[in-house]
Amino acid sequence: MEKPNKFVYHFSAENTEGSKDLGHLLGGKGAHLAEMSSMGVPVPPGFTITADMNLYFYKNKQKLPDFFYKQIRKDIQVLEKQTGLNFGSTEKPLLLSVRSGAEVSMPGMMDTILNLGLNLKIVKKMAQTDARWAWDCYRRLIQMYGDVVLGADASMFVFFMEDYKSKKNYNSDADLTAEDLEHLSVQFKEQVLQMTGEEFPEDPEQQLFGAISAVFDSWNNSRAVAYRELNSYSHQLGTAVNVQTMVFGNRGENSATGVVFTRNPTTGEPHLFGEFLQQAQGEDVVAGIRTPLPVCGEKKSLETVLPSAFKQLVEISQKLEKHFQNMQDIEFTVEGGKLWILQTRNAKRSVRASLRTAVDFVKEGLMSEEEAVMSILPKDLEKLLHPTLDPQKKKDSLCKGLPASPGGAGGLIVFSSLEAIEKSHEKVILVRDETSPDDIKGMISAQGILTTRGGMTSHAAVVARGMGKCCIVGCNAIQIDMEKRECHVAGKILKEGDWITLDGSTGEVYLGEIPMVKPELDQYFYDFMKMVDRYSQVKVKANADTCEDASAAKNFGAEGIGLCRTEHMFFQEDRLDIVRKMILFQDDLEKRKTQLSSLLEKQKKDFLSIFQVMDGESVCIRLLDPPLHEFLPQNAKEIEELAVKWSEDVRHISEQVKSLKELNPMLGHRGCRLAVTFPELYQTQVRAVALAYVDIIQGHKKCFPEIMVPLVGTVKEFIYIRDLIRKTLDEVKKQSGVELHIPIGTMVELPQAALRSAELAKEADFFSYGSNDLTQTVLGISRDDCGRFLPDYINKGLIPADPFVQLEQHSVGWLIEFSAKSARNVKSDFPLGLCGEHGADPSSIEFLSRLGLNSLSCSPYRIPVAKVATAQAFIRSQGMKRENNSKELSI
Amino acid sequence: MEKPNKFVYHFSAENTEGSKDLGHLLGGKGAHLAEMSSMGVPVPPGFTITADMNLYFYKNKQKLPDFFYKQIRKDIQVLEKQTGLNFGSTEKPLLLSVRSGAEVSMPGMMDTILNLGLNLKIVKKMAQTDARWAWDCYRRLIQMYGDVVLGADASMFVFFMEDYKSKKNYNSDADLTAEDLEHLSVQFKEQVLQMTGEEFPEDPEQQLFGAISAVFDSWNNSRAVAYRELNSYSHQLGTAVNVQTMVFGNRGENSATGVVFTRNPTTGEPHLFGEFLQQAQGEDVVAGIRTPLPVCGEKKSLETVLPSAFKQLVEISQKLEKHFQNMQDIEFTVEGGKLWILQTRNAKRSVRASLRTAVDFVKEGLMSEEEAVMSILPKDLEKLLHPTLDPQKKKDSLCKGLPASPGGAGGLIVFSSLEAIEKSHEKVILVRDETSPDDIKGMISAQGILTTRGGMTSHAAVVARGMGKCCIVGCNAIQIDMEKRECHVAGKILKEGDWITLDGSTGEVYLGEIPMVKPELDQYFYDFMKMVDRYSQVKVKANADTCEDASAAKNFGAEGIGLCRTEHMFFQEDRLDIVRKMILFQDDLEKRKTQLSSLLEKQKKDFLSIFQVMDGESVCIRLLDPPLHEFLPQNAKEIEELAVKWSEDVRHISEQVKSLKELNPMLGHRGCRLAVTFPELYQTQVRAVALAYVDIIQGHKKCFPEIMVPLVGTVKEFIYIRDLIRKTLDEVKKQSGVELHIPIGTMVELPQAALRSAELAKEADFFSYGSNDLTQTVLGISRDDCGRFLPDYINKGLIPADPFVQLEQHSVGWLIEFSAKSARNVKSDFPLGLCGEHGADPSSIEFLSRLGLNSLSCSPYRIPVAKVATAQAFIRSQGMKRENNSKELSI
C-alpha cells in the first residue's frame, strides 16, 4: 500500500475540504463536521485524518511514520492561525479533542479524549482566569488519557472520585471545588503511574500523537473486530480521526453541553427533544452524573436558561434535518452563551417513530416515497404487532432459547396440552420437549409456548408464528421431568403452576411476572403501508387455515391466501374421531368412504367460511399433507380410551397405530403419496372445495379457490392426482350446473420436482415453492432435529445463518432458480409463488424477487414485514442507491 | 396403415424367402425355419405369414381381408405342388400345422394347432392305410381346435379321455385303439358343440383360416398383454403365423417326436441332451403322458431305437449350434424313420450352464469373448452364490414379501435378536417388524431374516445383503404379536419355534422345511470372471466392515474396499459399553476422552486386520455416520440394566436417551455433523487408522487407506473436518516418523453437496456418491418407510422401478452427472466412485459407466454381478450390437 497523498482534511468556517459524501475517507463524524462547517453551522475548527491513513498505519507495523508527524504539525499551525491560540503554550493555549469516527458506527472502538494539550504549567496559568474550569479540564484529560491511551483501569478513577466526594460529603461533581479537582489530578497522575508503569505525558505533542495512535490501534481491538464480524462489516475500512479545537461546556454557568433530537425518538412527534447539563463536558449528560434538564417544554430548560443559544439550536436543528433529509441526533456545547455544534447524525429511534417520521418526511417533502419505504428495517415491523415485555421491568433471565415467535407472554407452567386446555381460564405457558399437531388446542389455550427442542421452523415455531403467539423453542437448558411435573433449569426446580414470562423477541425466559406493553397500530402504520403497497411488485399472501386466521390476514393487508393447510381442520374435536376411524379402517374401503362422507359436510363449511371472509380474494388450498399417524392417539392410555369409546379391540387399534409409525415421517407416507394409496381422501377434500364454491357462486358472490398438491416428485404422479381432482370437479359441475374455474397446481418442495419442473409446468397451472421442505431435503437437515448441531455450525462460522430462517441460496436457491427458469421456459407467464417461512424473511425476499416470483405467502403477523421487504427489493432493483435503513437506526 | 405388400414368406428345400435376420417380420420361429431350410436341414415345407399382417388385421377390425384369403389359397397351391399332396382332398390329403411365433417368446399367446385339413371323409380314407394314426390325428385336431379356436374348456377333453381309459383299464394313451380314438373323436365333437354352441368345422379351409385368426387374436388376449407389460415389450410388434406341412411322429413304431439340447442345460456339459417318445405328436413329450426316453446314453434311447435318425440328429445339432453360435433347443419328429426338424432356438439354461457354455464357446471359437461376456444376465450370477431352495421340493407359499437378499434359508421362528443369539446352536429365522443396528448380532446368528416392513434397502435388506444372508422384507401380510410370541398370516397362527423356510430370491415364505441346494463355484465361474475382468473399465470394490467381509470380498474379486463403515465396529460387545458411556457423558469432555482412548486401541486392531487381509489393496474408511441414539438402549428394561451395571441414576440415563431421540434421524445429527459438535470422535477414528497404517508400513508391507467424510453439505464444513483429520495425521506422523499418504475425500450424498461439487472438488481428494441417501433426499423418500406406498406407485405405473434398487436417472442421476462434470471441470482426473446399493444394479451401472466413474462399491456377494455389468456396459459402449443375454435364456 502506498503512502496516502492527502490524509488530512480541514474543516472550519473559512476553509473546509471535506463533505458528507466523503464518509468512506472521513468517517461519518468527520464528513458531517465538514458538511456542517460548509453550511455555516458553528463548528469549532479542526481537521480529520483519513481512514486510509489508519490502514497505512497497520501496513507500517502500527507506527506513525515521520511524514505523518511533519504533516500534523503543519495542520496544528493552521488551527493556531484560525483560532489565535497556541498549542503547548501557557499563553492562550490551544486545547484539542481527538475523536474516532469510522464510516459505520463502531461501539468497541476508542471514542473521545478531550482537553489534549494541557500540562501542569498551562493549567496553573489557566487557573488564574478560572481555576475550577482549568483543574476540571486537567482532571478529565488525565482520567481519559490514562484509561484509553495508557490502559489504566477506568473504574479506579471513578472509585477515587466517589471516595473523595463521600469523605467530603459532596452530592455531585458540581460540589467539587478547584482545590478538590487539583488534588484529584495529582492523585490520578499517581494512579496512572502505578497502574500502567508509565508517567502521564506532560508534553502536549506527545499527548496528541499518543491519542491518535490509540484511535488507530482501537480499530483492531478484539471488541471492535468481534463487532464487525457480527455485523458483516469489512475489516478493511479503517477509522478516521477527528482533531478539533476544544470548546468548553464546563466554563461557568453560561456554559453547558447537551444532546438533542430533531423529533421525538420514541413517538416521532415533530418537535425538538433533548437534554443538557450546565457546567459539564463530554459524556456527562449520558453518564447520568447529574440529572439533566430538558431542552424545552418545562419551566427550567435550555429555552429558559440560555434562550438565545436555544433559539439558535432550534434553527440549526431544522436546517440540519432538512439538509440531511433525516431526523438528526445532535451534540452541542454552549461556551459562555455561544452555541457550538460538535456532531450530527441520523437518529436512532423506535419503530413507531420510524414509521411516523417516514410518513411525515414524505408529507414535508424531506424524503421521496422510495426513500421513506427504504428507511424502515422490515423485521422491525414485527415488534409493532405483538405485546412486548416492558423494557423498564426486565430482570435477569433464567435461560435463553431461540426466539421463534415474537412478543411477550406470561403464565403458569403446564406440561401438557390437556392441562393447558383445562386451565384455559387462567394464563398458562405450555412447556414441552416439542409439540405435535396434537398440541394445537393446547397451544391455542396457552399464552405462550416454550419447547426444549426444535429450531426456528419446528412445529411449535411455525404454528405459533402462524397464530401470532409468543414462542421460544430449542431451550436446551431446561429438562422436563414429566413424572414429577417439574422442570430443571439453571439449578432451579420449576413446578407446574409456577409463573414464567417469555420474551419471544429475544428468546429469554424469566421467572415470575413481568408486565407487558400492548401494541397499538396507529394511522401512521396504515399510511406507511399504503406507500409500501405502491412499490410492492410481488403479491404478499397469507398462510391461513381458519376464518380467524383469514380475518387477521386481511387486517394486515394480505392479498389472498397462499397456503390454506387442510390438516388443521382435521384436528378439530368434531373431526378427529372421524379422521381416526377413516385411518384405522384403512383396509376397508367401504367403511372409509362412510367416514369420508361425514367429513365432507364439515370441510365444505370450513371452506365456505374462509371464502366468505376472503370475499373474492384467491384462496390456495393445499390438500392433506402430513403422515396419517399424526392424527392417531400416541400413547397406550389414549389408545385404551379410544378402544373403549369405539368398543373396539385395543390390540387391533394399537397394532394399526404401530404399523403407521415411521422412522422418518418427513420422508414417508405423506403428501400426495396418501392419495396415490387412498385416492378417495383427496377426492373428498376436492368435493368439499367445489361444493363450497358452488354455494358462493349461487349466492352471487365471488370466490377464487386454487387447489395445490403437496410433495409431488414426478409429472406422472402429478397427472395422476390432477386427473383424480378433475374427475371430482367434473362430477360436481354436472350435478350443480355451475362452471368451476379452479386452477390445479403443485408444491415444489422436493429436489426431484425442482429438477423436473419443465415437465411439471406443462401439466400444472401454478407452482408454489415449499421452501421449508425443500431446505430440509436439499440440505438433508430435519428442522425438528437441527437444534443439536446448527448452533455449532453457526458458532464455528460454517454456515452464515439458520437456513430455515434465511434461504440458503447456493443450493436451495439455485434449485428454485433452476425450477423457475425451467417453468418460465415452458410458459413465459407461468405463475410462481412461495409459501415457506422464508416468505417473510427480508434477505430471502431480496433473492426471490430477483427470480420474478409472483407471490409470497407467510404468517398473517409477518405480512407487513414481507410487504416492506418486497417493496424495498423492487426499489433497489430500480437502482435506488441511497438506503437509510440499517441496524444502527433501530432501537 | 397400408396393406402389407408381401406378407407370406415360403420356406422349403427348394424355395426359401426368409432368413434368421427377419425375426421382426417372421418371428423367431419362422425366421429359424427359413434359415434351417436354406442350410439344407430337413424342415417340412411351409410358409410364414408376417407380423405386419397381424397388425393390419387389428387395423381391419380383427377381420381377415379378402386379399388375404386369395393370397393364402395361392400359397397352399405352392405347398401342394412341393409335396404332391392336396389340401382338403381324400386322396393324398395335405395336412397342416399352424403355429404362432412372435419376435420375442410370448407365453400366453396361442401356440399350436396340428393336423389341420382333416374331416370325417378324409379320416376314413386315411384309416384305410393306418387306422390308429388317422383317428389319433383327428382326435387331436378336434381337441386343439375346440380349445384354442372355439374356446371350449380344454380340461373337459382330458377328463373324458381319462374317464374312458379308466373304464377300459388302460394305463396310457398308447393303449387306445383306432376304435377307441374314433369313439373319442365323436364324443369330442359333441362336447365342442355343447360347450361352444358351434359345430367343429369339417371344411379344411374354414379350419385353416379359423386357426390363423385365432393366432392373430391371441396377440392381444389379456395374458399376452399382461406378459408384455411385465417385460416392457412393445404391443406394436405383432405375431407371425407359421403354416407348415405336417409330419407325423405318431405314424407307427418307426415314428417319434422329441426335444433335444445341444448341451446339457443344467451343467453346460458339451453333449446332446434330450428326450423323445415313439408314436407321439406335439406336446406329448413335455406333457408327461408317458415317460419319455433319453436320446442317448442309455440302453433304450433314440441312438439304439432309431440309430440312423439319431446319427443325423447329432450332425444337424452340431451344425445348428455352430450356425447360430449358441446352444440350441431343437424340436424334431421322426416319421417312418425319416428325421424332420420342426424348430430350433437358443436354449434356456441354468446360470451354471450359461457360464460353462460361454467359456466353452470361446474356446471352441463359436463366440468372441465380448459375445461370451454379453451372454450372461448379470444378476443371474447372484443365484450361484447363495444356497437355494430345491426347486423340486417347493410347496405352496404362505405369503410373499420383497426378495431383499437372495438364497434360501430355513429355521425356527424367533421374534427377537436376543432369542436368535440364545438359540444360535439351532437354525433360526429372525422375524421382526423391522431391524435396527441393535439387531446385528441377532441377524448374524439367524439363518435368515424376515421383516413385515421396509423396502429393498431397509436396514434389514442392506445388512443382510452385505452378509450374503437370505432376507425377505416388507412382508405386510404377517402381523406380529410380541406379547403372545406369535404371528398371524393368511389365517394361520405361527408360534415361536415353528419352522419356516424363506426363498430370498423370490420373496416367498413357506411353512415347514424345504431342502436346500448348495452352491459350488466351479472353474468355469472363475474362467468366466477372468474374461469379464478384461472388459471391465470401472473398478469394482466391496462394501466391507470386517475382516470376514474383506476375505469374502477378495474371494469374489473385489479390487479394494470402497466402503468400510466404522459404525459396525462400535456395535461389538466389547465396544458398545464404551461407546454408550462416551455418548451419555456428552457434556463432560474429559470423561468422553477417557472412553475414546479405550476405543482407540480396539479400532486400531480392526483396521489393522482389514489392512492385512486386503494386502495392499485400497481401503476407504468412512468415519462414523449414524445418529448417536442408535447406539443407546432403546427400552426401559435395557436402560434399567445399564443403570444397575454402571451404578448410575436411571433417570439421568433415560433423560439422555430421550434427549437424543430424533423425529427424522435420517436428516438429523449424524455424519460429519457429529464431528462438528464432538470433534474428538473423528480424531480418535483417524488416529486409529493412522496407527494401524504405521504398523503395516513398519512391518514392510503395503497398505492404502483412504478416509471418507460422510454427509458433507458445504465446502466450509468439509474443510473444517479435513483440517481436523490432517491435524491428527500430522501428530501421528510426528510421533512415528512415518510419512502418511492418506487421501481425504467426501461422500456426495446430499443434493447440496452435488450442487456445490465444483467447490468441494477443489478441496477433496475424491468423491464417493452415496446413492442411497442421495435417492432419499432427492426424491424425499425414506427407504425405511417407503414400503407402504412404493408398491402402489409401481403398480399404478407412476414410477418404473424401486428407486433404491434401480437408480432414478432423471433427477438423482442428473445430480450425479452434474456433480461429476463440475468436479472434473475443476480437476480433469478427479477420482469418482459410488458406494450405494446401486453399485451392483446392472441398469444403474450402465448409466453410471457413461458418467466415467472410476469405481463402484457393493456387497461382496454382488461383486461378480457388478463386474459383469461394468464389462457389458463397456462392450456396449464400444458399439457391440449383438446381445444374447435376455430374460428368455435364464431359468
Short mmCIF file of all heavy atoms in Angstrom, two decimals, chain B residues 729-767:
data_model
loop_
_atom_site.label_atom_id
_atom_site.label_comp_id
_atom_site.label_asym_id
_atom_site.label_seq_id
_atom_site.Cartn_x
_atom_site.Cartn_y
_atom_site.Cartn_z
N LEU B 729 -3.42 -36.60 11.68
CA LEU B 729 -2.43 -37.34 10.88
C LEU B 729 -1.03 -36.76 11.13
O LEU B 729 -0.05 -37.50 11.28
CB LEU B 729 -2.79 -37.28 9.39
CG LEU B 729 -4.07 -38.01 8.97
CD1 LEU B 729 -4.32 -37.83 7.47
CD2 LEU B 729 -4.00 -39.50 9.29
N ASP B 730 -0.96 -35.44 11.19
CA ASP B 730 0.34 -34.80 11.43
C ASP B 730 0.92 -35.20 12.77
O ASP B 730 2.13 -35.41 12.91
CB ASP B 730 0.19 -33.27 11.36
CG ASP B 730 0.10 -32.79 9.92
OD1 ASP B 730 0.41 -33.59 9.01
OD2 ASP B 730 -0.29 -31.63 9.70
N GLU B 731 0.05 -35.30 13.76
CA GLU B 731 0.52 -35.70 15.09
C GLU B 731 1.13 -37.10 15.04
O GLU B 731 2.21 -37.34 15.57
CB GLU B 731 -0.65 -35.67 16.10
CG GLU B 731 -1.03 -34.26 16.54
CD GLU B 731 -2.39 -34.22 17.24
OE1 GLU B 731 -2.89 -35.33 17.62
OE2 GLU B 731 -2.95 -33.13 17.37
N VAL B 732 0.41 -38.02 14.39
CA VAL B 732 0.90 -39.41 14.31
C VAL B 732 2.20 -39.46 13.50
O VAL B 732 3.14 -40.18 13.83
CB VAL B 732 -0.17 -40.33 13.70
CG1 VAL B 732 0.38 -41.73 13.49
CG2 VAL B 732 -1.40 -40.37 14.59
N LYS B 733 2.24 -38.66 12.45
CA LYS B 733 3.44 -38.61 11.61
C LYS B 733 4.64 -38.14 12.45
O LYS B 733 5.73 -38.73 12.39
CB LYS B 733 3.19 -37.62 10.46
CG LYS B 733 4.33 -37.52 9.47
CD LYS B 733 4.01 -36.51 8.38
CE LYS B 733 5.24 -35.66 8.06
NZ LYS B 733 4.91 -34.54 7.17
N LYS B 734 4.42 -37.12 13.26
CA LYS B 734 5.50 -36.60 14.10
C LYS B 734 5.97 -37.65 15.09
O LYS B 734 7.17 -37.86 15.29
CB LYS B 734 5.01 -35.37 14.87
CG LYS B 734 5.68 -34.08 14.38
CD LYS B 734 5.25 -32.90 15.22
CE LYS B 734 5.06 -31.69 14.31
NZ LYS B 734 4.35 -30.61 14.96
N GLN B 735 5.00 -38.31 15.73
CA GLN B 735 5.35 -39.30 16.76
C GLN B 735 6.05 -40.51 16.16
O GLN B 735 6.96 -41.07 16.76
CB GLN B 735 4.08 -39.75 17.50
CG GLN B 735 3.53 -38.70 18.44
CD GLN B 735 2.05 -38.91 18.76
OE1 GLN B 735 1.49 -39.95 18.42
NE2 GLN B 735 1.45 -37.94 19.41
N SER B 736 5.60 -40.94 14.96
CA SER B 736 6.10 -42.21 14.42
C SER B 736 7.24 -42.03 13.42
O SER B 736 8.00 -42.95 13.15
CB SER B 736 4.95 -42.94 13.70
OG SER B 736 4.57 -42.19 12.57
N GLY B 737 7.33 -40.83 12.86
CA GLY B 737 8.32 -40.62 11.82
C GLY B 737 7.94 -41.26 10.48
O GLY B 737 8.73 -41.26 9.54
N VAL B 738 6.72 -41.80 10.39
CA VAL B 738 6.29 -42.42 9.13
C VAL B 738 5.46 -41.41 8.32
O VAL B 738 4.58 -40.75 8.86
CB VAL B 738 5.43 -43.69 9.42
CG1 VAL B 738 4.82 -44.23 8.13
CG2 VAL B 738 6.26 -44.74 10.12
N GLU B 739 5.82 -41.29 7.04
CA GLU B 739 5.04 -40.42 6.15
C GLU B 739 3.67 -41.06 5.92
O GLU B 739 3.58 -42.24 5.58
CB GLU B 739 5.75 -40.27 4.80
CG GLU B 739 6.85 -39.24 4.76
CD GLU B 739 6.34 -37.81 4.90
OE1 GLU B 739 5.18 -37.55 4.51
OE2 GLU B 739 7.10 -36.96 5.43
N LEU B 740 2.60 -40.28 6.08
CA LEU B 740 1.27 -40.86 5.91
C LEU B 740 0.64 -40.36 4.61
O LEU B 740 0.33 -39.18 4.49
CB LEU B 740 0.38 -40.45 7.10
CG LEU B 740 0.86 -40.94 8.48
CD1 LEU B 740 0.14 -40.18 9.57
CD2 LEU B 740 0.59 -42.42 8.63
N HIS B 741 0.49 -41.28 3.67
CA HIS B 741 -0.17 -40.90 2.41
C HIS B 741 -1.61 -41.37 2.45
O HIS B 741 -1.89 -42.50 2.06
CB HIS B 741 0.56 -41.50 1.22
CG HIS B 741 2.00 -41.09 1.17
ND1 HIS B 741 2.40 -39.84 0.78
CD2 HIS B 741 3.13 -41.75 1.51
CE1 HIS B 741 3.70 -39.74 0.86
NE2 HIS B 741 4.19 -40.88 1.31
N ILE B 742 -2.47 -40.55 2.96
CA ILE B 742 -3.87 -40.97 3.12
C ILE B 742 -4.78 -39.91 2.50
O ILE B 742 -4.97 -38.84 3.07
CB ILE B 742 -4.23 -41.19 4.61
CG1 ILE B 742 -3.24 -42.18 5.24
CG2 ILE B 742 -5.67 -41.65 4.76
CD1 ILE B 742 -3.55 -42.52 6.68
N PRO B 743 -5.33 -40.22 1.32
CA PRO B 743 -6.23 -39.24 0.71
C PRO B 743 -7.47 -39.02 1.59
O PRO B 743 -7.93 -39.95 2.26
CB PRO B 743 -6.64 -39.90 -0.61
CG PRO B 743 -5.71 -41.04 -0.81
CD PRO B 743 -5.21 -41.45 0.54
N ILE B 744 -7.99 -37.81 1.57
CA ILE B 744 -9.19 -37.48 2.34
C ILE B 744 -10.27 -37.02 1.36
O ILE B 744 -10.11 -36.01 0.67
CB ILE B 744 -8.90 -36.36 3.36
CG1 ILE B 744 -7.75 -36.79 4.29
CG2 ILE B 744 -10.15 -36.05 4.18
CD1 ILE B 744 -7.22 -35.67 5.16
N GLY B 745 -11.34 -37.79 1.30
CA GLY B 745 -12.40 -37.46 0.34
C GLY B 745 -13.73 -37.30 1.04
O GLY B 745 -13.82 -37.35 2.26
N THR B 746 -14.74 -37.10 0.24
CA THR B 746 -16.06 -36.92 0.85
C THR B 746 -17.11 -37.74 0.13
O THR B 746 -17.02 -37.99 -1.07
CB THR B 746 -16.48 -35.42 0.83
OG1 THR B 746 -17.78 -35.31 1.41
CG2 THR B 746 -16.52 -34.86 -0.58
N MET B 747 -18.09 -38.17 0.89
CA MET B 747 -19.30 -38.72 0.31
C MET B 747 -20.05 -37.55 -0.34
O MET B 747 -20.05 -36.44 0.18
CB MET B 747 -20.22 -39.29 1.39
CG MET B 747 -19.67 -40.41 2.20
SD MET B 747 -19.82 -42.01 1.40
CE MET B 747 -21.58 -42.30 1.48
N VAL B 748 -20.68 -37.81 -1.48
CA VAL B 748 -21.62 -36.84 -2.03
C VAL B 748 -22.97 -37.54 -1.97
O VAL B 748 -23.25 -38.44 -2.76
CB VAL B 748 -21.25 -36.42 -3.46
CG1 VAL B 748 -22.33 -35.56 -4.07
CG2 VAL B 748 -19.92 -35.67 -3.44
N GLU B 749 -23.75 -37.18 -0.96
CA GLU B 749 -25.00 -37.91 -0.72
C GLU B 749 -26.13 -36.97 -0.37
O GLU B 749 -27.21 -37.42 0.01
CB GLU B 749 -24.80 -38.97 0.37
CG GLU B 749 -24.17 -38.45 1.65
CD GLU B 749 -23.81 -39.56 2.63
OE1 GLU B 749 -24.41 -40.64 2.58
OE2 GLU B 749 -22.92 -39.33 3.48
N LEU B 750 -25.87 -35.67 -0.48
CA LEU B 750 -26.92 -34.68 -0.28
C LEU B 750 -27.02 -33.82 -1.54
O LEU B 750 -25.99 -33.52 -2.16
CB LEU B 750 -26.57 -33.78 0.91
CG LEU B 750 -26.52 -34.45 2.28
CD1 LEU B 750 -26.10 -33.44 3.34
CD2 LEU B 750 -27.88 -35.04 2.63
N PRO B 751 -28.21 -33.41 -1.92
CA PRO B 751 -28.33 -32.55 -3.09
C PRO B 751 -27.39 -31.34 -3.00
O PRO B 751 -26.77 -30.95 -3.98
CB PRO B 751 -29.80 -32.13 -3.07
CG PRO B 751 -30.51 -33.24 -2.37
CD PRO B 751 -29.53 -33.74 -1.34
N GLN B 752 -27.29 -30.78 -1.81
CA GLN B 752 -26.43 -29.62 -1.65
C GLN B 752 -24.99 -29.92 -2.08
O GLN B 752 -24.37 -29.15 -2.81
CB GLN B 752 -26.44 -29.16 -0.18
CG GLN B 752 -25.66 -27.87 0.01
CD GLN B 752 -25.67 -27.38 1.46
OE1 GLN B 752 -25.78 -28.16 2.39
NE2 GLN B 752 -25.57 -26.08 1.63
N ALA B 753 -24.46 -31.05 -1.62
CA ALA B 753 -23.09 -31.41 -1.97
C ALA B 753 -22.96 -31.62 -3.47
O ALA B 753 -21.97 -31.21 -4.09
CB ALA B 753 -22.68 -32.67 -1.22
N ALA B 754 -23.97 -32.22 -4.08
CA ALA B 754 -23.92 -32.45 -5.52
C ALA B 754 -23.91 -31.12 -6.27
O ALA B 754 -23.16 -30.94 -7.23
CB ALA B 754 -25.11 -33.30 -5.96
N LEU B 755 -24.72 -30.18 -5.79
CA LEU B 755 -24.82 -28.89 -6.48
C LEU B 755 -23.57 -28.04 -6.27
O LEU B 755 -23.26 -27.18 -7.07
CB LEU B 755 -26.06 -28.13 -5.99
CG LEU B 755 -27.39 -28.72 -6.45
CD1 LEU B 755 -28.56 -28.05 -5.75
CD2 LEU B 755 -27.55 -28.57 -7.97
N ARG B 756 -22.85 -28.28 -5.18
CA ARG B 756 -21.67 -27.46 -4.89
C ARG B 756 -20.38 -28.25 -5.09
O ARG B 756 -19.38 -28.01 -4.43
CB ARG B 756 -21.80 -26.89 -3.49
CG ARG B 756 -23.13 -26.14 -3.32
CD ARG B 756 -23.24 -25.43 -2.01
NE ARG B 756 -22.33 -24.31 -1.96
CZ ARG B 756 -22.32 -23.41 -0.97
NH1 ARG B 756 -23.18 -23.54 0.02
NH2 ARG B 756 -21.45 -22.43 -0.97
N SER B 757 -20.42 -29.21 -6.02
CA SER B 757 -19.29 -30.11 -6.20
C SER B 757 -18.05 -29.41 -6.73
O SER B 757 -16.93 -29.84 -6.46
CB SER B 757 -19.68 -31.24 -7.15
OG SER B 757 -20.58 -32.10 -6.49
N ALA B 758 -18.22 -28.34 -7.49
CA ALA B 758 -17.04 -27.66 -8.03
C ALA B 758 -16.18 -27.16 -6.87
O ALA B 758 -14.97 -27.37 -6.84
CB ALA B 758 -17.48 -26.50 -8.93
N GLU B 759 -16.83 -26.55 -5.88
CA GLU B 759 -16.09 -26.07 -4.72
C GLU B 759 -15.48 -27.22 -3.94
O GLU B 759 -14.33 -27.17 -3.52
CB GLU B 759 -17.02 -25.31 -3.76
CG GLU B 759 -17.59 -24.02 -4.31
CD GLU B 759 -18.77 -23.55 -3.45
OE1 GLU B 759 -18.56 -23.16 -2.30
OE2 GLU B 759 -19.93 -23.63 -3.93
N LEU B 760 -16.27 -28.28 -3.75
CA LEU B 760 -15.80 -29.42 -2.95
C LEU B 760 -14.61 -30.09 -3.62
O LEU B 760 -13.66 -30.52 -2.95
CB LEU B 760 -16.94 -30.43 -2.74
CG LEU B 760 -17.93 -30.10 -1.63
CD1 LEU B 760 -19.13 -31.04 -1.69
CD2 LEU B 760 -17.26 -30.22 -0.26
N ALA B 761 -14.66 -30.20 -4.94
CA ALA B 761 -13.60 -30.92 -5.65
C ALA B 761 -12.26 -30.19 -5.50
O ALA B 761 -11.19 -30.81 -5.57
CB ALA B 761 -13.95 -31.07 -7.13
N LYS B 762 -12.32 -28.89 -5.29
CA LYS B 762 -11.07 -28.15 -5.09
C LYS B 762 -10.38 -28.58 -3.80
O LYS B 762 -9.15 -28.51 -3.69
CB LYS B 762 -11.36 -26.64 -5.02
CG LYS B 762 -11.57 -26.03 -6.40
CD LYS B 762 -11.79 -24.52 -6.32
CE LYS B 762 -12.42 -24.04 -7.63
NZ LYS B 762 -13.31 -22.91 -7.43
N GLU B 763 -11.15 -29.01 -2.82
CA GLU B 763 -10.58 -29.29 -1.50
C GLU B 763 -10.45 -30.78 -1.21
O GLU B 763 -9.61 -31.17 -0.41
CB GLU B 763 -11.46 -28.64 -0.42
CG GLU B 763 -11.69 -27.14 -0.60
CD GLU B 763 -10.41 -26.32 -0.48
OE1 GLU B 763 -9.48 -26.79 0.19
OE2 GLU B 763 -10.34 -25.22 -1.07
N ALA B 764 -11.28 -31.60 -1.84
CA ALA B 764 -11.30 -33.04 -1.51
C ALA B 764 -10.38 -33.81 -2.45
O ALA B 764 -10.08 -33.35 -3.56
CB ALA B 764 -12.73 -33.57 -1.62
N ASP B 765 -9.93 -34.99 -1.99
CA ASP B 765 -9.09 -35.83 -2.84
C ASP B 765 -9.92 -36.78 -3.70
O ASP B 765 -9.43 -37.31 -4.70
CB ASP B 765 -8.12 -36.64 -1.97
CG ASP B 765 -7.12 -35.74 -1.28
OD1 ASP B 765 -6.72 -34.72 -1.88
OD2 ASP B 765 -6.72 -36.03 -0.13
N PHE B 766 -11.13 -37.06 -3.29
CA PHE B 766 -12.02 -37.90 -4.10
C PHE B 766 -13.45 -37.73 -3.64
O PHE B 766 -13.71 -37.20 -2.55
CB PHE B 766 -11.61 -39.39 -4.01
CG PHE B 766 -11.70 -39.96 -2.62
CD1 PHE B 766 -12.89 -40.50 -2.14
CD2 PHE B 766 -10.60 -39.94 -1.76
CE1 PHE B 766 -12.98 -41.02 -0.85
CE2 PHE B 766 -10.68 -40.45 -0.47
CZ PHE B 766 -11.87 -40.99 -0.02
N PHE B 767 -14.37 -38.15 -4.50
CA PHE B 767 -15.79 -38.21 -4.13
C PHE B 767 -16.24 -39.66 -4.15
O PHE B 767 -15.76 -40.46 -4.96
CB PHE B 767 -16.67 -37.53 -5.19
CG PHE B 767 -16.69 -36.03 -5.18
CD1 PHE B 767 -17.40 -35.34 -6.16
CD2 PHE B 767 -16.04 -35.29 -4.20
CE1 PHE B 767 -17.43 -33.96 -6.20
CE2 PHE B 767 -16.06 -33.90 -4.22
CZ PHE B 767 -16.76 -33.24 -5.23
#
